[in-house]
Amino acid sequence: MHLFDSTNTATALLTNLLKSSSSLMDSATYFLLKPIFLRGFAASLHFVLLLALFVSFVFKKLRVGDGDQGSKERFSNNKRFLFYKQTLFCSLDFLVYHKHGSFEIQYLVSDLVSVFTAFFLCYVGFSRNECQDTLLEQPLLNGDSSSINGLESSKSRGGDSLTPYANAGLFSILTFSWMGSLIAFGNKKTLDLEDVPQLHSVDSVAGAFSVFKNKLESDSGAASRVTAFKLLKALLLSAWKEILLTALLAIIYTSASYVGPYLIDSFVQCLDGRGEYKNQGYILASTFFVAKVVECLSQRHWFFRLQQIGIRLRAVATTMIYNKALTLSSQSKQGQTSGEIINIMTVDAERISDFSWYMHDPWLLILQVGLALLILYKNLGLATVSTFVATIVVMLLNYPLGRLQEHFQEKLMESKDKRMKATSEILRNMRILKLQGWEMKFLSKILDLRQVETGWLKKYVYNSAMISFVFWGAPSFVAVATFGTCMLIGIPLESGKILSALATFRILQDPIYGLPDMVSMIVQTKVSLDRIASFISLDDLKNDVLEKLPKGSSDTAVEIVDGNFSWDVSSPSATLKNINFQVFHGMRVAVCGTVGSGKSSLLSCILGEVPQISGTLKICGTKAYVAQSPWIQSGKIEENILFGKVMDRERYERVLEACSLKKDLEILSFGDQTVIGERGINLSGGQKQRIQIARALYQDADIYLFDDPFSAEALLGLLNSKTVIYVTHQVEFLPAADLILVMKDGRITQAGKYDDILNSGSDFMELVGAHKAALSAFDSKQAESASENEISGNENKSGDRILQKEGNKDSQNGKEHVVAGPKAQLIQEEEREKGSVGFPIYWKFLTTAYGGALVPFILMAQILFQILQIGSNYWMAWATPVSKDMKPVVSGYTLIMVYVCLAIGSSFCILARSTLLVIAGYKTATLLFNKMHLCIFRAPMSFFDSTPSGRILNRASTDQSEVETQIPYQVGALAFSSIQLLGIIAVMSQVAWQVFIVFIPVIAACIWYQRYYIPSARELSRLVGVYKAPVIQHFSETISGAATIRSFDQQSRFQETNMIVTDAYSRPKFHAVAAMEWLCFRLHMFSSIMFAFSLVFVVSFPKGIDPAIAGLAVTYGLNLNMLQAWVIRNLCNCENKIISVERILQYMSIPSEPPLIIEASRPNRSWPSHGEVEINNLQVRYAPHMPLVLRGLTCTFPGGMKTGIVGRTGSGKSTLIQTLFRIVEPAAGRIMIDDIDISLIGLHDLRSRLSIIPQDPTMFEGTVRSNLDPLEEHTDEQIWEALDKCQLGDEVRKKERKLDSTVIENGENWSMGQRQLVCLGRVLLKKSKVLVLDEATASVDTSTDNLIQQTLRQHFSDCTVITIAHRITSVLDSDMVLLLSNGLIEEYDSPARLLENKSSSFAQLVAEYRVRSDTGFERFN
């Protein structure tokens, strides 16, 4: 194509070429280059085409005579005939022949174009590919209604069907027509995930990950550490074919984009009447057009495939991180909290995906600069050296800014990690925070962390504004340097050459603009790769800890010889010391000991979770494990129990029966199909425990490990032939064991049968003695009347720990009450807005910062910049002569000075624009963050029960990041590109106002296309947002349940699930990218046609047009298609990105809890002084359409007395407590504490005056001090005093940092019992008059339980203590007992009176408990 610009004709060039190399050529070569041969060759090609067409046409006619041809076949043939006509037209082209030698080059071009077009059309015409993929049966929009109806009727087209891309023909791939069907479908209905086709195998995780894994393993080997470089190498090699293809497309695009600047000078000369041959103008115009089409095709496919690679790499990285998290050792996990790991998976893997955009930029930059310099050298000679120097200076200027950007980015990520870690911990424990009235304190903790983050964010965005200024100013700087040099060394400036130079500078802008982005992206990607590589290199669980023997090969089920194990290998003292024991198949082994003696660690050690220091551990058979704190997956109850096994209905029913789950399932509206919220949020503690026991039983394993199950006897019955090892605090379950291990300080101090060890040591006597003391509260007379009845202790038999969480909304009143209104699962699909993003969202976003006051100034700066830019170019074109022999209008000095002034002015406009945009964006992000977090923290508990934390975290991380670093600049880019487009049109219409004839319909068509595209694109973008949360949620669930997953050997199933959720995210993402390219391709073609029209018009009517100004119009026109597509692309990106603002605003409109403080009715400081709780006709329901859970309770808990509350699951115990703390508001009735109606005072005043020891003992990351006293209200002396009272003082004194000893995430470096004692310490510090114990003794042994009871008796003797009973012994010394049944009071009296009446439900409960305990102690007694 460069040939067309030469001053000689094509014939002359050929002759010169022949002359210069005649000595090297023989006569055959000479003949090949003669025009007559070229003409003959072209003619014969045409003839072959004609012949092929004729034969094919006759053949088709003969075949068509069947008569039963359907309409589709007819349409197909008509379609082919259409192509025949076009091909025929191209083929007949050779008949036109002129004898003028000067026209040879035109006909050469015309022949080449027509032959290739004919080949292409023949390919399309003959293509037998009838599938919908080529989509030529439909118009360009693929809006054929019959096909749509077909799509709607067939559900399989979405979820199950493969993407049309996989089987698309060449034409369909080139024009992105394969996307047409989905876009058309999206216009008919709102797209859902099942409407989006499956990915092609190479793009799906399963296909891509295996390739990547092989590459990484072949490079790294098994032993060596994975480095960032090896990781990058494996990632790139896993998609090397696509990467090479994109490199080729990038080269084609770059070459095509320089055709315009190369030919502009010739075009200006031609318009000035200095054309070198006739019709040169038309040939140049068609060359411009062809170059534009090639540029469009290569760019669209280059971008599409880059993003395709990005999606693939992201999926691969995510899967690798997920698989690693499943195998992390406990020590590695301590160094990485779940929040940090989640951030690596979400942020860093996403960054690798973004990097794909930039992967070719480093070498492409050199190519672009090189081509630009060649063109400039042709026009301006030696002045090109100064262009090169100026470009290098500009790029070097970027280096310090890039380094700063890297530093700020790294710090920003670190601070974001810390904030996200704290946020996820707070969301997990929001119920505790609300009950304690601590949520605002923890919100301020988040805001403090955010303060640090925004410090780095501010530096980051201001630095990017500087970069923006430098690089928008760069082209002007380079131009001034170049033209100044021309003046100094006397190179004459002509308008054609100047316009060519300006067009080249504009293209050079791209690599220069792109450089800061590229540098910052490479930097960010390096940071992310380092983070991922260091995570991948963490230590895995050692496989050699556990020696697995083949099933049935040994009588021994578990054997440990001289075992020393430690959670922290570097620690001087081991966690478990000198462990020796042997368990045969079918034995029952009980493990007991005081809090913190190493019981749970022993089970973990058998699972292979604790690093081994010395000794051997053998295990024979499959294992199943029940953890102390239940791990439940979100999903149906049935799925949790089956846990990957197939359904065996008979076995399933037996398991439900054994675990007492039948009654629970009757209570839940959907039975075992009830969808459980995250971490089992809508289940009580007892239900969670029973479900995880059922999960273990259903597995039918050989060895069962139970960490403190509530009902050992029920389990031992079902597992009579299995090996069972159980940790228990309930001494009455010990006699049933074949072997009892007594633990103290990580050692097994006693081992043997009950009788043998009872008299041989003090540790065991201590435990049994404590239990005896508890039993002595019973009067022996009452113990005799043991009888089974309807309430025979479902509560205690299954040892139910219930926290009747809000989620348990459905029908807690048993069967007799039908739910009023529609049944609804608690955890709903994530809400997503439908339809277009309304203007109010944009308006809210624009006016958040300073009421939108900065927006007009930003726009004004951009308009001024545009005017000055065009003005400076206009000045250069107007003030320089068209050719050497014309006299310049102004002197060289004036020319350059005016240009410099205009350039400086435009640079300052850019500085103002960048700075104001950054200020507005930063302010908006900060305000949205603060408002959203305040709304989340003030939301009622029901919001957290029904919203998985993944959804909230997604908004706090991903959406917030978009608002900070993407959306303001995207909205800005839309405004700026629109202003630029208007500027170009203004310049072009100066030359040929007739451009508007084409411009108006083309713009109308573009807008129509954009409207047609946006419904599908918007929904695809929303689907991307919605399906990101399940990936994060599944990941965070896996991290917390990794030990359980490994104990059931279910890693591979979880890895598969992860692949499924990852693909569900990639599918809409891939199709959203393709839809964008589908649109851009069509818009580019339109603008190319418009550009071609204006060129033809200028060439056809040159009179009265200034050639220099016409050249300027062409210079700008070269950018037209890019800019027009950029405007539409920015518009679409804005619509897609603004969804993040929409999602944040959604959470800013969550209904809030009642006020924290009501100034008008604040209770006095000493309230409650007496602690009398008066309940009057209390009715509670969880939602307006739900049934009543409490159905009119009336009673009084006397001040200063202990009241115990008992009742089976669903009787309303926990609901009563939640109403007392106003977690749930009553529907009718009221609660008075010391004559103050609690619903009339602020929540904070109420909750801060009551104390609670919650069911799940919770500790937060931080120190011992911050856990006991988060509000920092107490002195160290008071804290030590509280620690001593709850028997933790000595434990904390042992630690090196005393009160500042670290507590890791979830308090996992403290045992469950110790965490429970910390909760006791908190209430001792708070010294409230009303104390609630929500089954607080669930995870401690009997002696610790007695200790807690003793502490409470001693320090809360004058307080009102309300206990929800876990062990019947804990309510026996209460002053009053309240027995609830189905939300009504069944009995309420003192325990003594209730026990006197043998027929009372309470008496029967007690008798039943006594009988169980007695069976265990017969021998002892």
Side-chain angles (χ1 to χ4, degrees):
M1 279 187 256
H2 296 235
L3 194 68
F4 300 141
D5 187 55
S6 65
T7 50
N8 300 317
T9 63
T11 317
L13 267 172
L14 285 170
T15 315
N16 286 341
L17 186 66
L18 285 169
K19 277 180 187 169
S20 64
S21 54
S22 57
S23 58
L24 300 169
M25 289 186 176
D26 55 30
S27 55
T29 320
Y30 179 75
F31 174 71
L32 287 179
L33 289 167
K34 274 190 86 68
I36 188 160
F37 172 77
L38 293 172
R39 303 289 306 144
F41 177 68
S44 56
L45 268 178
H46 283 79
F47 181 69
V48 170
L49 275 173
L50 264 178
L51 193 65
L53 274 172
F54 178 70
V55 172
S56 148
F57 180 70
V58 172
F59 178 65
K60 289 283 186 301
K61 277 293 175 203
L62 291 171
R63 276 189 60 198
V64 165
D66 301 345
D68 62 339
Q69 182 191 34
S71 65
K72 189 172 176 184
E73 189 65 32
R74 271 203 303 281
F75 172 75
S76 223
N77 285 328
N78 291 346
K79 172 190 79 176
R80 285 210 175 81
F81 187 63
L82 242 157
F83 285 116
Y84 294 150
K85 284 193 284 189
Q86 292 163 342
T87 311
L88 196 61
F89 174 76
C90 290
S91 306
L92 288 172
D93 166 76
F94 81 98
L95 295 174
V96 185
Y97 187 76
H98 290 261
K99 288 180 179 156
H100 301 82
S102 64
F103 287 142
E104 287 296 328
I105 191 160
Q106 297 174 40
Y107 295 117
L108 188 63
V109 171
S110 131
D111 279 343
L112 282 171
V113 171
S114 60
V115 168
F116 281 117
T117 311
F119 268 133
F120 178 62
L121 292 168
C122 279
Y123 165 80
V124 175
F126 295 140
S127 170
R128 294 291 300 140
N129 193 352
E130 289 283 350
C131 74
Q132 168 184 314
D133 304 329
T134 60
L135 290 165
L136 285 164
E137 291 136 52
Q138 301 171 7
L140 188 60
L141 282 176
N142 316 85
D144 182 9
S145 61
S146 63
S147 76
I148 301 300
N149 299 337
L151 295 178
E152 280 183 323
S153 62
S154 147
K155 196 71 169 167
S156 70
R157 72 160 296 295
D160 306 328
S161 68
L162 191 61
T163 175
Y165 174 69
N167 307 309
L170 178 67
F171 182 77
S172 180
I173 283 181
L174 278 177
T175 60
F176 294 96
S177 299
W178 57 270
M179 255 315 285
S181 52
L182 188 63
I183 291 173
F185 192 60
N187 262 285
K188 300 284 174 189
K189 74 176 273 284
T190 302
L191 289 179
D192 286 311
L193 189 65
E194 62 267 18
D195 302 318
V196 182
Q198 294 289 352
L199 294 172
H200 191 18
S201 58
V202 290
D203 292 315
S204 72
V205 180
F209 185 67
S210 54
V211 177
F212 164 76
K213 199 174 168 197
N214 294 338
K215 302 279 184 209
L216 187 65
E217 282 169 359
S218 65
D219 187 31
S220 298
S224 71
R225 192 170 174 276
V226 176
T227 61
F229 175 71
K230 287 178 184 170
L231 186 60
L232 180 65
K233 187 175 159 191
L235 284 167
L236 296 181
L237 283 174
S238 67
W240 69 271
K241 287 179 190 164
E242 288 79 2
I243 291 172
L244 280 182
L245 176 61
T246 49
L248 178 65
L249 288 167
I251 291 169
I252 294 172
Y253 166 73
T254 306
S255 308
S257 66
Y258 277 112
V259 169
Y262 185 76
L263 296 178
I264 277 185
D265 191 21
S266 304
F267 191 69
V268 172
Q269 299 300 335
C270 177
L271 288 180
D272 198 32
R274 297 163 189 269
E276 287 149 14
Y277 46 84
K278 204 172 171 196
N279 292 340
Q280 186 188 8
Y282 290 113
I283 287 173
L284 287 173
S286 46
T287 309
F288 277 130
F289 177 64
V290 170
K292 276 287 158 211
V293 172
V294 171
E295 189 186 323
C296 160
L297 275 168
S298 53
Q299 188 187 34
R300 300 280 48 95
H301 285 277
W302 173 31
F303 284 3
F304 170 64
R305 285 172 194 281
L306 281 180
Q307 291 179 84
Q308 184 184 9
I309 294 167
I311 289 169
R312 198 184 300 177
L313 296 185
R314 183 199 168 278
V316 161
T318 302
T319 307
M320 170 179 63
I321 294 162
Y322 179 89
N323 292 354
K324 180 69 184 183
L326 260 180
T327 61
L328 274 188
S329 69
S330 56
Q331 205 170 354
S332 304
K333 236 179 175 174
Q334 281 185 6
Q336 300 273 334
T337 66
S338 58
E340 285 168 340
I341 300 174
I342 289 169
N343 238 346
I344 290 173
M345 186 181 190
T346 49
V347 181
D348 295 312
E350 195 73 59
R351 187 145 296 130
I352 287 176
S353 163
D354 296 340
F355 170 69
S356 64
W357 268 109
Y358 298 86
M359 64 169 64
H360 295 305
D361 286 13
W363 63 265
L364 203 54
L365 186 118
I366 297 166
L367 176 68
Q368 287 170 319
V369 172
L371 281 174
L373 294 175
L374 277 174
I375 294 173
L376 287 168
Y377 185 72
K378 170 185 168 281
N379 287 319
L380 302 175
L382 281 175
T384 311
V385 175
S386 63
T387 311
F388 181 65
V389 170
T391 308
I392 295 294
V393 166
V394 166
M395 288 182 173
L396 285 177
L397 251 181
N398 186 58
Y399 181 75
L401 291 172
R403 294 290 301 177
L404 274 176
Q405 198 77 332
E406 171 186 7
H407 174 64
F408 296 153
Q409 171 74 27
E410 217 168 299
K411 292 293 185 189
L412 183 62
M413 287 309 301
E414 273 173 30
S415 51
K416 194 182 225 66
D417 274 356
K418 284 183 186 157
R419 172 174 66 80
M420 288 311 297
K421 187 165 122 186
T423 308
S424 70
E425 182 178 50
I426 286 169
L427 291 175
R428 265 200 311 276
N429 300 308
M430 188 54 88
R431 182 175 297 275
I432 308 293
L433 300 183
K434 296 249 178 223
L435 287 168
Q436 304 277 14
W438 290 345
E439 69 267 46
M440 297 325 278
K441 172 70 183 176
F442 277 76
L443 172 60
S444 67
K445 186 175 160 188
I446 294 282
L447 294 178
D448 289 346
L449 289 168
R450 172 71 182 171
Q451 199 70 42
V452 176
E453 186 186 342
T454 49
W456 292 113
L457 177 67
K458 199 181 241 179
K459 289 175 181 164
Y460 178 81
V461 292
Y462 277 113
N463 194 53
S464 62
M466 264 325 285
I467 289 174
S468 177
F469 162 64
V470 169
F471 290 96
W472 278 95
S476 302
F477 170 68
V478 173
V480 167
T482 309
F483 298 147
T485 309
C486 286
M487 294 300 300
L488 288 172
I489 61 177
I491 296 172
L493 290 174
E494 296 160 29
S495 53
K497 289 177 176 177
I498 278 190
L499 290 171
S500 177
L502 289 174
T504 309
F505 295 147
R506 181 153 310 113
I507 296 182
L508 200 54
Q509 246 177 332
D510 262 0
I512 297 181
Y513 283 173
L515 187 68
D517 276 355
M518 180 187 82
V519 171
S520 116
M521 195 66 215
I522 289 172
V523 161
Q524 291 177 28
T525 309
K526 184 183 174 298
V527 170
S528 289
L529 281 168
D530 286 338
R531 280 160 55 101
I532 294 174
S534 61
F535 177 69
I536 297 300
S537 304
L538 289 173
D539 291 336
D540 282 345
L541 266 180
K542 295 276 189 294
N543 293 328
D544 54 0
V545 172
L546 197 64
E547 189 185 328
K548 289 186 180 172
L549 305 173
K551 196 170 173 175
S553 64
S554 164
D555 292 340
T556 307
V558 181
E559 183 178 19
I560 302 182
V561 181
D562 298 331
N564 287 287
F565 301 87
S566 179
W567 286 111
D568 181 1
V569 184
S570 57
S571 163
S573 63
T575 311
L576 297 170
K577 310 174 208 42
N578 308 326
I579 302 294
N580 286 285
F581 71 91
Q582 187 176 18
V583 178
F584 294 105
H585 286 294
M587 274 179 76
R588 282 92 184 279
V589 180
V591 183
C592 58
T594 54
V595 167
S597 58
K599 304 181 295 297
S600 297
S601 295
L602 182 65
L603 287 196
S604 298
C605 150
I606 296 170
L607 290 170
E609 297 282 323
V610 189
Q612 183 180 29
I613 297 170
S614 62
T616 57
L617 161 59
K618 294 178 186 169
I619 189 162
C620 177
T622 56
K623 54 198 187 301
Y625 168 63
V626 176
Q628 188 173 13
S629 42
W631 176 75
I632 302 287
Q633 264 187 293
S634 48
K636 292 178 184 162
I637 291 177
E638 182 190 273
E639 290 164 4
N640 265 283
I641 295 173
L642 297 181
F643 207 56
K645 291 267 190 197
V646 289
M647 167 63 88
D648 171 348
R649 183 52 68 183
E650 191 186 334
R651 175 170 183 74
Y652 184 73
E653 293 298 331
R654 274 210 318 277
V655 167
L656 292 183
E657 195 66 55
C659 299
S660 319
L661 267 171
K662 285 277 177 74
K663 186 73 201 165
D664 292 317
L665 297 181
E666 282 170 19
I667 288 168
L668 299 166
S669 300
F670 294 86
D672 63 1
Q673 298 304 302
T674 300
V675 176
I676 302 174
E678 201 178 11
R679 302 186 313 280
I681 200 150
N682 48 336
L683 297 174
S684 71
Q687 287 165 332
K688 284 191 270 193
Q689 186 67 284
R690 291 195 281 281
I691 287 169
Q692 73 160 355
I693 290 171
R695 173 172 66 205
L697 296 189
Y698 191 81
Q699 293 297 303
D700 197 21
D702 303 316
I703 302 164
Y704 281 87
L705 305 169
F706 292 108
D707 198 347
D708 197 17
F710 295 140
S711 173
E713 91 190 326
L715 304 179
L716 298 177
L718 193 76
L719 301 173
N720 49 13
S721 62
K722 308 285 188 183
T723 309
V724 183
I725 302 176
Y726 59 98
V727 168
T728 184
H729 290 130
Q730 307 196 21
V731 176
E732 61 268 32
F733 298 146
L734 294 176
D738 301 316
L739 171 66
I740 298 172
L741 304 176
V742 183
M743 297 202 67
K744 189 171 188 183
D745 298 332
R747 287 190 167 80
I748 297 176
T749 54
Q750 290 171 273
K753 289 205 164 195
Y754 189 83
D755 291 342
D756 306 338
I757 61 173
L758 194 55
N759 305 312
S760 65
S762 60
D763 295 330
F764 189 57
M765 279 298 286
E766 220 173 274
L767 291 170
V768 176
H771 187 70
K772 293 271 298 168
L775 281 178
S776 65
F778 285 69
D779 184 23
S780 56
K781 290 175 195 163
Q782 275 117 12
E784 290 155 17
S785 62
S787 63
E788 295 281 327
N789 67 15
E790 88 236 69
I791 217 167
S792 70
N794 264 358
E795 167 95 351
N796 300 294
K797 211 190 233 174
S798 23
D800 189 11
R801 292 161 47 190
I802 309 301
L803 177 48
Q804 196 63 53
K805 294 211 174 172
E806 230 168 286
N808 222 346
K809 294 172 181 177
D810 296 333
S811 151
Q812 288 165 314
N813 308 343
K815 280 185 180 169
E816 64 259 49
H817 291 282
V818 182
V819 176
K823 288 185 178 183
Q825 292 278 19
L826 171 74
I827 304 299
Q828 300 294 343
E829 285 277 303
E830 177 161 7
E831 68 300 330
R832 67 180 170 110
E833 305 282 341
K834 306 236 167 156
S836 65
V837 179
F839 179 71
I841 303 281
Y842 287 97
W843 184 248
K844 183 100 178 150
F845 178 72
L846 291 173
T847 55
T848 300
Y850 311 108
L854 294 182
V855 176
F857 291 105
I858 295 171
L859 291 176
M860 185 61 67
Q862 175 64 24
I863 291 167
L864 268 174
F865 165 71
Q866 196 60 35
I867 291 170
L868 292 169
Q869 273 282 45
I870 292 174
S872 61
N873 294 344
Y874 200 96
W875 165 255
M876 290 303 278
W878 174 81
T880 49
V882 174
S883 61
K884 294 176 196 164
D885 43 11
M886 285 178 69
K887 191 174 181 298
V889 186
V890 294
S891 69
Y893 177 77
T894 312
L895 179 78
I896 294 297
M897 285 319 293
V898 170
Y899 186 72
V900 167
C901 292
L902 291 169
I904 290 172
S906 66
S907 297
F908 275 110
C909 288
I910 280 297
L911 182 61
R913 185 199 83 181
S914 302
T915 312
L916 291 174
L917 184 62
V918 157
I919 292 169
Y922 169 79
K923 184 73 175 170
T924 304
T926 308
L927 289 171
L928 287 177
F929 178 91
N930 292 347
K931 285 180 188 167
M932 176 176 79
H933 277 69
L934 180 64
C935 289
I936 289 172
F937 276 69
R938 289 288 291 114
M941 202 55 223
S942 56
F943 168 74
F944 298 96
D945 287 349
S946 58
T947 308
S949 64
R951 289 182 198 169
I952 303 173
L953 291 173
N954 211 348
R955 282 166 173 81
S957 62
T958 315
D959 292 325
Q960 185 63 37
S961 284
E962 293 279 320
V963 170
E964 284 163 5
T965 58
Q966 295 278 317
I967 298 174
Y969 310 104
Q970 204 68 60
V971 173
L974 173 61
F976 308 153
S977 55
S978 304
I979 291 168
Q980 275 179 293
L981 183 62
L982 291 171
I984 286 187
I985 290 156
V987 172
M988 286 176 77
S989 60
Q990 276 277 300
V991 175
W993 61 264
Q994 292 84 347
V995 151
F996 279 109
I997 298 167
V998 185
F999 178 72
I1000 290 165
V1002 165
I1003 282 292
C1006 287
I1007 290 169
W1008 185 80
Y1009 256 107
Q1010 194 261 346
R1011 292 287 111 206
Y1012 179 80
Y1013 148 91
I1014 209 73
S1016 308
R1018 190 176 45 234
E1019 295 313 320
L1020 284 169
S1021 184
R1022 282 182 175 142
L1023 285 170
V1024 170
V1026 168
Y1027 283 93
K1028 188 168 190 174
V1031 180
I1032 301 173
Q1033 190 182 333
H1034 179 68
F1035 188 48
S1036 61
E1037 271 181 1
T1038 303
I1039 294 171
S1040 57
T1044 303
I1045 295 167
R1046 287 194 290 262
S1047 68
F1048 287 94
D1049 295 321
Q1050 293 266 358
Q1051 295 97 310
S1052 57
R1053 183 171 72 86
F1054 274 78
Q1055 286 166 354
E1056 267 171 46
T1057 308
N1058 175 59
M1059 287 185 175
I1060 291 166
V1061 294
T1062 304
D1063 270 349
Y1065 170 71
S1066 298
R1067 268 159 58 197
K1069 184 121 176 151
F1070 172 82
H1071 287 91
V1073 164
M1076 172 63 93
E1077 297 308 330
W1078 176 94
L1079 176 72
C1080 286
F1081 171 75
R1082 282 149 180 75
L1083 299 183
H1084 264 180
M1085 293 313 284
F1086 276 135
S1087 53
S1088 298
I1089 291 165
M1090 185 164 129
F1091 180 52
F1093 173 83
S1094 53
L1095 287 176
V1096 169
F1097 184 84
V1098 168
V1099 171
S1100 305
F1101 306 103
K1103 288 193 175 63
I1105 296 176
D1106 181 343
I1109 303 304
L1112 180 66
V1114 175
T1115 311
Y1116 274 103
L1118 285 172
N1119 260 18
L1120 181 69
N1121 65 342
M1122 198 178 81
L1123 203 59
Q1124 191 178 343
W1126 194 34
V1127 170
I1128 301 289
R1129 192 187 185 98
N1130 281 331
L1131 182 58
C1132 299
N1133 273 341
C1134 271
E1135 282 238 353
N1136 293 344
K1137 297 275 188 196
I1138 202 81
I1139 290 167
S1140 287
V1141 176
E1142 178 184 64
R1143 284 158 56 83
I1144 286 175
L1145 292 176
Q1146 249 178 13
Y1147 275 21
M1148 279 165 57
S1149 54
I1150 309 166
S1152 174
E1153 278 189 311
L1156 293 176
I1157 288 171
I1158 301 172
E1159 286 298 343
S1161 57
R1162 294 200 69 171
N1164 60 36
R1165 282 177 174 279
S1166 60
W1167 179 87
S1169 51
H1170 186 50
E1172 181 172 274
V1173 180
E1174 191 184 319
I1175 299 170
N1176 190 357
N1177 187 29
L1178 186 66
Q1179 297 177 23
V1180 177
R1181 53 163 57 96
Y1182 280 102
H1185 63 278
M1186 297 282 190
L1188 288 171
V1189 182
L1190 297 180
R1191 294 154 43 206
L1193 302 192
T1194 302
C1195 62
T1196 301
F1197 300 156
M1201 290 180 134
K1202 287 183 72 177
T1203 305
I1205 304 177
V1206 290
R1208 64 156 188 242
T1209 301
S1211 59
K1213 309 182 299 294
S1214 291
T1215 306
L1216 178 56
I1217 297 306
Q1218 293 194 66
T1219 314
L1220 184 64
F1221 281 84
R1222 285 180 64 196
I1223 296 289
V1224 190
E1225 296 288 335
R1230 60 182 185 171
I1231 298 179
M1232 311 276 283
I1233 298 180
D1234 284 0
D1235 301 328
I1236 288 184
D1237 184 342
I1238 62 168
S1239 62
L1240 301 178
I1241 60 173
L1243 290 182
H1244 193 265
D1245 281 335
L1246 171 69
R1247 292 170 185 169
S1248 61
R1249 310 292 176 91
L1250 308 180
S1251 287
I1252 184 165
I1253 300 185
Q1255 179 184 19
D1256 296 317
T1258 305
M1259 287 176 81
F1260 299 92
E1261 190 169 359
T1263 61
V1264 175
R1265 180 189 280 105
S1266 69
N1267 266 282
L1268 281 163
D1269 181 26
L1271 304 184
E1272 297 164 12
E1273 295 172 336
H1274 303 281
T1275 62
D1276 281 9
E1277 288 72 37
Q1278 290 170 316
I1279 294 174
W1280 278 116
E1281 189 186 332
L1283 281 171
D1284 287 332
K1285 284 178 188 169
C1286 64
Q1287 310 292 311
L1288 273 177
D1290 295 342
E1291 186 67 36
V1292 176
R1293 282 188 185 92
K1294 270 188 221 163
K1295 295 187 184 288
E1296 196 182 320
R1297 296 173 59 197
K1298 308 289 190 285
L1299 289 180
D1300 292 320
S1301 303
T1302 47
V1303 175
I1304 63 169
E1305 196 176 16
N1306 294 333
E1308 277 170 15
N1309 53 345
W1310 295 69
S1311 76
M1312 276 289 251
Q1314 287 169 329
R1315 282 181 248 169
Q1316 193 76 69
L1317 293 173
V1318 169
C1319 293
L1320 176 64
R1322 285 180 193 148
V1323 300
L1324 286 166
L1325 268 178
K1326 206 170 177 186
K1327 296 189 181 122
S1328 299
K1329 206 67 183 162
V1330 177
L1331 169 67
V1332 176
L1333 273 81
D1334 191 351
E1335 297 180 338
T1337 51
S1339 46
V1340 293
D1341 57 87
T1342 316
S1343 61
T1344 310
D1345 183 17
N1346 290 349
L1347 187 151
I1348 290 176
Q1349 297 297 338
Q1350 197 180 324
T1351 308
L1352 293 175
R1353 273 196 291 274
Q1354 192 177 336
H1355 298 286
F1356 290 90
S1357 52
D1358 59 341
C1359 299
T1360 307
V1361 179
I1362 302 167
T1363 308
I1364 292 185
H1366 166 60
R1367 297 189 174 92
I1368 209 76
T1369 50
S1370 54
V1371 290
L1372 278 174
D1373 66 343
S1374 301
D1375 300 305
M1376 300 292 282
V1377 171
L1378 173 70
L1379 198 145
L1380 290 177
S1381 174
N1382 287 331
L1384 293 167
I1385 295 174
E1386 190 172 328
E1387 297 171 356
Y1388 182 44
D1389 212 332
S1390 68
R1393 272 204 214 96
L1394 289 172
L1395 286 172
E1396 278 169 20
N1397 176 3
K1398 296 288 187 295
S1399 62
S1400 76
S1401 302
F1402 181 70
Q1404 289 164 358
L1405 274 176
V1406 169
E1408 199 274 328
Y1409 178 80
R1410 183 69 211 227
V1411 166
R1412 271 194 301 135
S1413 299
D1414 275 0
T1415 52
F1417 282 98
E1418 285 165 357
R1419 283 170 283 177
F1420 175 69
N1421 289 329

